[in-house]
Amino acid sequence: MGKIRILLLGGTSEASALAKALAGDPRYDALLSLAGRTEKPTLQPLPTRIGGFGGRDGLAKFLHYGEFDLLIDATHPFAARISQNASEAVASLGLLAFSLRRPPWMAQAGDNWLHVGTIAKAITALGTSPRRVFLAIGRQEAHRAEAAPQHFYLVRSVDPVEPRLAVADVQYILDRGPFGIEGEIALLETHRIDAVITKNSGGSATYAKIAAARRLGIEVLMVDRAPAPAMQTVETVEEALATINHLFPPR
Ligand SMILES: NC(=O)c1ccc[n+]([C@@H]2O[C@H](COP(=O)([O-])OP(=O)(O)OC[C@H]3O[C@@H](n4cnc5c(N)ncnc54)[C@H](OP(=O)(O)O)[C@@H]3O)[C@@H](O)[C@H]2O)c1
């Protein structure tokens, strides 16, 4: 048997870690796929393609003509469309697939979380009186803040938010995780933040803001995940490697 052809849908730190592990293993011939959202993506150890496939059917064709043996969906838990496309494409081809998805964060003692279903609902839940909000949701949906322009927003993203938000009081920070707790505490204190809006991404790279909010007694508006499409799911890179081994036992 030749090398096992793997298409790895990425865009997360877990995908990059898995890419590194696959790159070092001669049994695998793996291709990493990125959406192309970030202007300067982290350098990857695997051959990489960038850009959409053209929906579910485009992805199915790509998998078929590329003679892939396995698809691994290691996209972000909030990247719902690509995961839905992936699950439908592999089902139509009868292709082996699983997803690598970090478990969500769970509230612990001292946390003051308000669970909301969407970013728009988080913005509404801030209320009418002006507040000082850390908007740590990336740039794609930052414009939702315009529905409540009475608040101050501290917006952090990897790439600049363009166009700028149509609100009076806003500051932008460009930064890429991982973030540490002391730095996050300093950030929240410096800007006198009284509400943090975040998606429940899970993982360790961006958890420090949650721990910092707990330490300072700040409210967190936690945007919960939508249910993921049905696909076998593992939570760690180690489990992902074990699953590949199980699906394609070494001979
Ligand atoms: N959403 C987040 O909060 C978030 C946070 C961190 C990182 N990311 C990463 O950023 C990327 C885009 O996220 P999103 O929320 O915009 O996704 P999405 O809404 O689920 O996907 C939108 C479209 O982007 C293309 N796409 C998405 N991921 C792709 C990938 N890995 N390779 C090739 N094409 C991809 C697909 O286009 P076609 O239909 O044309 O194939 C898809 O239909 C993903 O790779 C995700 O892992 C997302």
Side-chain angles (χ1 to χ4, degrees):
M1 187 171 147
K3 290 190 175 202
I4 297 153
R5 298 258 303 148
I6 301 174
L7 181 64
L8 173 60
L9 301 177
T12 58
S13 47
E14 287 78 4
S16 300
L18 181 57
K20 200 168 164 198
L22 294 175
D25 194 320
R27 284 176 295 167
Y28 307 130
D29 175 10
L31 177 66
L32 176 69
S33 175
L34 300 175
R37 294 286 188 281
T38 40
E39 283 161 16
K40 293 193 198 88
T42 322
L43 201 62
Q44 297 290 340
L46 276 183
T48 303
R49 65 163 299 285
I50 294 181
F53 297 95
R56 177 199 59 191
D57 296 345
L59 177 55
K61 280 196 187 117
F62 188 91
L63 288 163
H64 177 71
Y65 291 112
E67 299 184 351
F68 286 94
D69 303 302
L70 173 68
L71 175 136
I72 304 175
D73 175 9
T75 59
H76 191 272
F78 279 81
R81 187 132 45 97
I82 185 72
S83 293
Q84 185 63 38
N85 288 348
S87 91
E88 291 177 15
V90 297
S92 72
L93 297 170
L95 193 71
L96 291 172
F98 66 90
S99 72
L100 167 59
R101 179 166 288 121
R102 0 159 158 154
W105 298 315
M106 305 296 274
Q108 52 174 269
D111 278 328
N112 175 14
W113 289 10
L114 179 71
H115 291 274
V116 287
T118 62
I119 288 162
K121 286 187 178 148
I123 300 291
T124 309
L126 290 168
T128 49
S129 318
R131 298 182 69 176
R132 299 188 60 85
V133 183
F134 181 30
L135 200 58
I137 56 165
R139 68 169 166 171
Q140 289 193 67
E141 286 203 77
H143 65 274
R144 301 271 180 206
E146 293 175 351
Q150 70 273 32
H151 308 297
F152 161 76
Y153 293 99
L154 176 65
V155 181
R156 183 168 68 194
S157 55
V158 174
D159 290 309
V161 176
E162 298 290 354
R164 298 310 231 190
L165 301 186
V167 299
D169 202 3
V170 56
Q171 276 189 42
Y172 300 93
I173 306 178
L174 294 185
D175 210 349
R176 189 198 292 265
F179 301 102
I181 175 137
E182 297 310 327
E184 297 293 66
I185 288 177
L187 191 70
L188 296 178
E189 284 185 330
T190 304
H191 295 275
R192 293 178 287 115
I193 297 298
D194 61 50
V196 174
I197 299 185
T198 178
K199 301 176 192 175
N200 196 336
S201 300
S204 59
T206 59
Y207 184 71
K209 60 178 178 257
I210 308 293
R214 180 188 314 128
R215 190 91 72 82
L216 299 174
I218 293 173
E219 183 182 19
V220 174
L221 292 98
M222 182 62 73
V223 182
D224 291 325
R225 301 176 180 187
M231 192 184 274
Q232 181 191 348
T233 300
V234 301
E235 295 185 343
T236 64
V237 170
E238 292 68 34
E239 282 177 80
L241 292 169
T243 303
I244 302 170
N245 251 320
H246 178 74
L247 293 171
F248 302 94
R251 285 195 286 176

